[in-house]
Amino acid sequence: MKVEPLSHPFRGGVSLDEHKAHRAAPSRRAPLPNELRLPLARAEATTQVGEWVARGTCLSAGESPTHAPTSGRIVSVGADHTVLAVDHEHAALPPLPRLPTSASADAIVERIRACGVAGLGGGGFPTATKLRAARDAGVGTLIVNAVECEPWVTADEVLLREHRCEIASGIGIAMSACGAGRAVLVVDPRNSALGALDDDPSLAFETYAAALRYPAGSERQLIEQFVGTPLAAGARPPSVGILVLNVATIYAIHRAVVAGEPLTERLVALTGDALEAPGTAWVPIGTPVDELIDWWQPQARSARMLRGGPLTGIELEPHAAVDKRTYAVSFVTESPAPVPCIRCGHCNEVCPERLSVDALHLACAASDDAALERLHIDSCIACGACEVVCPSRLPLLAELRAAQATHVARDRAARAADRARRRYARHLERATTMAERERNARLRRRTATRSWLDVE
């Protein structure tokens, strides 16, 4: 299989050291903890406290339901999570029957929904919803994203190297589900799985190599390299006939449709400069991160722990657990203290979305909402390239994320208030119309029996 480079460059970005000397290390399997903290993804729980469940039992409703990774008893049900006490008996429900190759797109999408498959590249968006929207939009190309451009992180690379046949199957299934006629796998040109792909002529998809600049694997930059023009602000990939799925999501699709297994575990990169031996491990969903690091390297508990890669990761909360979005857990040493901005402009040069990052930094410091909106804070993709090149070591990514969250919350509140106003206006209009009809009806009844009554 010949690997061609994507021919179109993207604006901005930065060249980084990979820190992936561990890329050839095989994946390991994390042990089951005594307790799993299973996220419900804002869905309603379908189990009760005290109930015993087997592996594969559905624990919540919705487009991306959560399933029990092993057997045990439910000890608590919260607003956003269910706690399962593991009994280590490994009792499991029988897998769902394999769907035939003649299965309809609707049947495939429903199986993917029932098995709880979600975006495993970090977004966590329900895959069934994404596939339906892509089919409705008439997408022609499926892009499978295995670029993994962030330093240290190797989960997608190891998955592609160890499970290329399952991923090839998943690509075909995803194409049937969304109606795409073309499939493209995009990888980093240094990916250790490329040799295995070259030796397998049966793989029915094209393979391309992304640019060697970060963030070449970001969805918008990936499409820009493929299509040649940037995706419009606020536009989604189906608007240009493309659906982008992460390679780990593709693997989960194969497991759901062919093996009949719900998503109960995922491959997680355990990485960062605080680890002596970074690597990857298959981790049950709901595993507490502190127990995970106790198994891998206990002395790293004193480091900063991030959900995600070292550049884009978000600080982990106490008692955090692995969920469907956790493609990596990074353990990093503390960075030096920041100093005031020197207005060098390096952040603007590397921003792939062409934002004025230094101006956004000043607007964040001043809490100037109007300036943030004028500077298009909503277009920030939170790649962290600006923070990497900042000589003042400013926490730009955290600032922009906080400002973006505030802007989104304010915009959501404004839309909700506008909907409430329109709803109240429609209510008043209906009430006025009904009152007028009732008045006219009363007048008609009165005049019908008293013809001498003068009604104007």
Side-chain angles (χ1 to χ4, degrees):
M1 177 183 293
K2 189 176 181 181
V3 180
E4 299 283 352
L6 289 173
S7 56
H8 304 289
F10 69 94
R11 191 249 188 213
V14 59
S15 297
L16 299 173
D17 291 333
E18 278 195 295
H19 299 291
K20 294 185 180 182
H22 57 287
R23 68 189 338 147
S27 62
R28 298 167 63 185
R29 186 162 292 278
L32 270 173
N34 291 323
E35 197 171 81
L36 293 169
R37 187 182 177 92
L38 297 156
L40 298 179
R42 298 184 297 276
E44 183 180 352
T46 55
T47 54
Q48 297 178 347
V49 173
E51 183 177 347
W52 181 88
V53 297
R55 179 182 183 272
T57 301
C58 186
L59 305 179
S60 68
E63 282 287 276
S64 179
T66 299
H67 297 78
T70 188
S71 58
R73 197 165 298 280
I74 304 296
V75 295
S76 74
V77 177
D80 58 355
H81 68 275
T82 291
V83 177
L84 174 68
V86 177
D87 62 12
H88 297 282
E89 294 181 2
H90 310 295
L93 297 177
L96 296 171
R98 175 175 180 162
L99 287 181
T101 54
S102 59
S104 67
D106 287 336
I108 294 172
V109 171
E110 174 55 27
R111 169 63 65 86
I112 291 169
R113 184 209 66 79
C115 287
V117 179
L120 301 184
F125 192 78
T127 301
T129 304
K130 202 169 182 179
L131 288 168
R132 288 193 202 96
R135 191 169 75 237
D136 292 344
V139 300
T141 302
L142 168 67
I143 295 181
V144 180
N145 186 356
V147 177
E148 206 166 36
C149 56
E150 192 161 0
W152 296 98
V153 183
T154 58
D156 289 349
E157 180 172 345
V158 172
L159 182 66
L160 184 59
R161 187 178 67 243
E162 295 182 349
H163 296 280
R164 69 181 186 278
C165 293
E166 293 93 332
I167 289 166
S169 166
I171 290 174
I173 295 168
M175 290 176 68
S176 298
C178 70
R182 180 187 185 191
V184 173
L185 173 69
V186 186
V187 299
D188 185 293
R190 298 159 292 194
N191 194 306
S192 60
L194 285 179
L197 294 176
D198 288 340
D199 296 338
D200 193 341
S202 66
L203 302 181
F205 50 81
E206 305 165 54
T207 304
Y208 287 89
L212 289 174
R213 292 199 325 280
Y214 177 81
S218 176
E219 183 178 77
R220 292 176 59 82
Q221 280 61 52
L222 197 62
I223 290 174
E224 185 173 350
Q225 293 172 84
F226 186 75
V227 176
T229 55
L231 196 62
R236 304 301 301 161
S239 66
V240 292
I242 291 173
L243 171 65
V244 180
L245 293 176
N246 178 264
V247 68
T249 307
I250 292 291
Y251 177 77
I253 288 174
H254 164 83
R255 298 301 299 172
V257 174
V258 175
E261 293 185 356
L263 178 58
T264 60
E265 64 177 5
R266 67 157 302 156
L267 192 61
V268 177
L270 298 169
T271 192
D273 60 359
L275 291 186
E276 296 176 359
T280 57
W282 287 98
V283 182
I285 303 296
T287 299
V289 173
D290 52 0
E291 293 192 35
L292 188 61
I293 194 57
D294 283 346
W295 165 69
W296 190 272
Q297 183 184 316
Q299 57 269 35
R301 290 194 70 169
S302 58
R304 287 179 63 218
M305 293 192 296
L306 307 174
R307 186 193 305 277
L311 296 189
T312 61
I314 299 173
E315 201 88 24
L316 280 170
E317 302 173 355
H319 312 298
V322 170
D323 61 18
K324 296 177 184 180
R325 302 167 299 166
T326 310
Y327 63 90
V329 179
S330 299
F331 300 85
V332 297
T333 54
E334 291 291 342
S335 56
V339 297
C341 176
I342 60 174
R343 303 301 295 273
C344 64
H346 293 336
C347 52
N348 300 331
E349 295 169 5
V350 302
C351 178
E353 290 298 315
R354 303 167 174 83
L355 302 178
S356 298
V357 182
D358 55 353
L360 283 166
H361 165 65
L362 295 176
C364 289
S367 299
D368 190 339
D369 297 330
L372 289 170
E373 185 168 358
R374 187 171 63 252
L375 294 166
H376 306 290
I377 183 63
D378 55 328
S379 294
C380 175
I381 62 171
C383 67
C386 53
E387 188 168 321
V388 171
V389 300
C390 179
S392 297
R393 301 182 295 276
L394 294 169
L396 295 172
L397 181 57
E399 285 183 357
L400 295 174
R401 272 181 172 152
Q404 196 172 49
T406 302
H407 177 76
V408 168
R410 185 177 291 108
D411 186 54
R412 186 180 296 119
R415 290 199 303 269
D418 186 56
R419 286 195 300 270
R421 282 193 293 270
R422 292 199 303 270
R423 190 163 57 245
Y424 183 63
R426 289 195 299 269
H427 167 73
L428 286 180
E429 183 179 357
R430 286 195 302 270
T432 303
T433 302
M434 291 177 64
E436 184 66 22
R437 287 176 180 171
E438 181 61 27
R439 176 178 176 275
N440 292 337
R442 284 199 307 269
L443 290 175
R444 285 195 297 271
R445 287 194 298 269
R446 291 172 63 186
T447 54
T449 57
R450 288 180 271 181
S451 57
W452 47 266
L453 185 63
D454 184 16
V455 179
E456 294 182 0

